[in-house]
Amino acid sequence: MTERPDGSANRPHTDGLPKTQPLRPSQVRQNVNAKRMLMRLVQGDSPPTAPMNIVDRLAGSPYANPTIQVVGVDASARKTIDFALHLAEVMFRYGAGALEVETSMIAVTAALGLKNVEVDITNQSVAINYAPKDQTPITLLRVVRSWTNNYAGLAQVHQLVTDIVAGGVGRDEAVRRLNEIIRSAKPFPRWMVTMAFGIFAAVFVGVLGGGIGASAVAFASNILISLLSRQLARWRTADFFNTMACSFLVTFIALMLRWAGVEIAPSIVVAGGILLLLPTGRLVSSVQDAINGFPVTAAGRFLSTLLTFGAIVAGIGVAVVVGTLMGSAVLDVTQTFPDAYPLWIQAVLIAIAVVAIGVTEQTQMRLLLPTAAVGIVGFFVLWGVGQAGLGDRLSPAVAAVVIGLLGRVVALKLGAPQLVVAVPAALILLPGLTIFRSMYALTVEGGDILLGAGGMLNAGAIVLGVAAGIVLGDNLARPLTKGLSSNERRRVRRR
């Protein structure tokens, strides 16, 4: 390269090189889009160490994308936090799971204008930390010390949260409505709940293979243990001894009938009598909490579940010892029986049983028949999958997926949370009875320890499959239920 007199360099000739055409506007846009896509692939949409926004926890729930009613920092944040804690306490007391409580609290605080909120839930306590920038943080804790069956109240709380998220209810109105829900009477009187306990036991003894006589004994036994449990609760007796006394009573009645010469298998009477003592719903809820990311809550519920199973086994063991001393025959609770009724009668009995469960759980009247329909569908799926040869482990899991899916669709369509429909319908799968039989064989019978331990592992696999199936069905139904919550919000805005 030479230098010209004016100081500029002589450039090489480029006449022989190919000409470069200027980029068209469309090519420029394509290059920009390609660079942007490459950056997303390399870096992601957000920095990898950025914390997840707590409102993102609502994705997939009925409360996604809440309507914010307050702009900026709420001057009365303490009142909003108190309301959210009270709401969570009521939901826990009425039987809600940890995930439902958490999403409801996040949705309510977000809709009422609170940012910088963190929610922490353990087995029986709920904590909220509110820490706005450059302000004194607020941390409040609420402990839940009592529980009651009230699915109707839980459905009303769900509707209240839906209205708050839709922007149609302010905080003062929400507080008033929550107090009305707490003070409102349950749908069914106490005597009807007692009768429902007996009806459930009677019809399910028929499903398990018992005849009319066994169903009648199971009905009377459950009426007695319901009255006994209520009296022990008045005396402030611990739940462990309450459950132990009830299981002792139903077993002793069955043994004495056999001792008196009544030709009814005592094992099926005992199985029918303890069905509602079994913590099946709590057992499934503990596994669901573990799957949904609440290990502490799941561990607490699982421990209380094991104690309940232990109380049932202890009560039956004491009754067996007393009955043996009186000359009664040996009791084999693990015994199974052939079907006593055709399939269509079993389906009718399943529907009656689910309705009875709904009454004991104080479900709203309008939800009883839809819940029974979901239970019947789950029963036929269980039967069909079993006929296909998928085995005793996989069949309940497949039926649970269908129950979880239909439970979410039906519940949101009727303005209720999924568990209000799914839990009563899933009780027909009887995972708790499998656990009980394995624990009884391992402890009371004292037979082969390895066989009993294998039965416990098999029962645990069935319970895990049922709980995971309900959660999976709920997740699979989310794309089908996106419009249900939005339709409800539009109705609220038109009021």
Side-chain angles (χ1 to χ4, degrees):
M1 184 181 297
T2 59
E3 188 174 349
R4 294 181 179 178
D6 57 0
S8 62
N10 291 326
R11 299 182 180 277
H13 297 284
T14 59
D15 295 339
L17 298 177
K19 301 292 184 180
T20 301
Q21 300 295 330
L23 295 177
R24 296 189 299 272
S26 60
Q27 293 176 324
V28 174
R29 288 193 298 269
Q30 291 176 358
N31 289 341
V32 172
N33 293 333
K35 291 179 180 178
R36 190 175 301 164
M37 182 177 297
L38 181 61
M39 293 296 292
R40 287 181 178 178
L41 291 174
V42 175
Q43 296 182 350
D45 293 334
S46 60
T49 58
M52 183 186 73
N53 191 343
I54 191 172
V55 181
D56 294 341
R57 183 70 168 163
L58 301 177
S61 73
Y63 314 124
N65 304 318
T67 301
I68 309 300
Q69 301 184 29
V70 181
V71 180
V73 178
D74 188 0
S76 57
R78 173 61 188 268
K79 295 182 180 179
T80 301
I81 296 175
D82 285 336
F83 168 72
L85 282 175
H86 195 192
L87 181 82
E89 180 188 9
V90 172
M91 293 184 68
F92 258 133
R93 193 164 67 244
Y94 289 171
L99 182 61
E100 288 82 9
V101 175
E102 185 194 57
T103 53
S104 298
M105 294 176 67
I106 295 173
V108 166
T109 53
L112 296 180
L114 291 188
K115 300 179 181 179
N116 307 302
V117 171
E118 291 293 340
V119 177
D120 184 37
I121 296 176
T122 59
N123 183 32
Q124 62 183 74
S125 64
V126 184
I128 291 184
N129 180 50
Y130 175 59
K133 188 177 181 180
D134 299 329
Q135 294 188 33
T136 303
I138 302 175
T139 301
L140 298 178
L141 176 71
R142 187 69 62 89
V143 178
V144 184
R145 294 184 173 87
S146 62
W147 290 265
T148 183
N149 296 331
N150 194 352
Y151 277 0
L154 188 60
Q156 291 176 332
V157 173
H158 172 85
Q159 187 61 51
L160 172 60
V161 176
T162 301
D163 295 344
I164 295 173
V165 172
V169 176
R171 184 181 57 216
D172 295 338
E173 176 68 14
V175 171
R176 184 189 63 80
R177 285 181 55 178
L178 181 61
N179 291 330
E180 288 181 354
I181 293 173
I182 297 173
R183 291 192 298 265
S184 60
K186 294 181 180 181
F188 305 103
R190 185 171 295 179
W191 67 267
M192 190 177 292
V193 173
T194 303
M195 294 295 294
F197 271 102
I199 292 173
F200 172 81
V203 297
F204 233 106
V205 163
V207 174
L208 294 175
I212 297 178
S215 296
V217 174
F219 175 82
S221 299
N222 265 266
I223 295 295
L224 291 177
I225 66 174
S226 178
L227 297 175
L228 175 62
S229 176
R230 193 170 298 162
Q231 184 60 45
L232 292 176
R234 292 193 189 100
W235 293 343
R236 301 289 183 178
T237 306
D239 289 339
F240 180 89
F241 299 108
N242 191 331
T243 304
M244 181 177 174
C246 292
S247 62
F248 170 85
L249 177 61
V250 68
T251 307
F252 187 74
I253 291 174
L255 291 175
M256 289 301 98
L257 288 175
R258 171 57 64 91
W259 180 74
V262 179
E263 293 298 326
I264 296 177
S267 56
I268 197 168
V269 175
V270 173
I274 66 170
L275 279 176
L276 283 176
L277 296 177
L278 295 172
T280 303
R282 202 185 321 158
L283 182 63
V284 173
S285 297
S286 64
V287 180
Q288 287 179 330
D289 288 339
I291 294 174
N292 290 325
F294 299 92
V296 177
T297 305
R301 290 187 174 182
F302 192 70
L303 178 60
S304 64
T305 299
L306 289 180
L307 286 176
T308 303
F309 278 119
I312 295 174
V313 172
I316 294 177
V318 173
V320 169
V321 172
V322 174
T324 303
L325 293 176
M326 297 179 63
S328 176
V330 178
L331 177 66
D332 182 14
V333 179
T334 62
Q335 183 181 3
T336 57
F337 298 86
D339 294 337
Y341 302 102
L343 185 64
W344 70 271
I345 294 182
Q346 293 183 40
V348 173
L349 295 178
I350 287 291
I352 297 173
V354 175
V355 171
I357 295 171
V359 173
T360 61
E361 297 289 351
Q362 295 289 351
T363 303
Q364 289 177 330
M365 183 74 72
R366 62 189 180 90
L367 290 173
L368 290 178
L369 292 182
T371 304
V374 174
I376 292 176
V377 173
F379 169 74
F380 279 115
V381 171
L382 178 66
W383 175 82
V385 174
Q387 293 295 316
L390 295 186
D392 296 335
R393 297 181 185 177
L394 189 58
S395 298
V398 175
V401 172
V402 176
I403 289 174
L405 190 150
L406 294 179
R408 180 182 176 92
V409 174
V410 172
L412 291 184
K413 187 71 176 179
L414 298 176
Q418 185 239 18
L419 69 91
V420 171
V421 175
V423 171
L427 287 181
I428 65 170
L429 304 178
L430 298 180
L433 187 59
T434 308
I435 287 280
F436 160 73
R437 284 173 170 169
S438 302
M439 184 178 290
Y440 181 87
L442 185 63
T443 57
V444 177
E445 288 188 349
D448 190 352
I449 296 179
L450 292 179
L451 182 62
M456 286 292 293
L457 291 177
N458 182 54
I462 293 175
V463 171
L464 180 61
V466 170
I470 293 176
V471 176
L472 178 60
D474 180 73
N475 291 334
L476 293 177
R478 288 181 178 181
L480 305 176
T481 56
K482 285 184 177 179
L484 296 180
S485 58
S486 60
N487 291 337
E488 181 64 28
R489 294 183 189 185
R490 282 194 290 270
R491 286 196 296 268
V492 171
R493 292 192 186 102
R494 287 198 296 265
R495 293 175 186 172

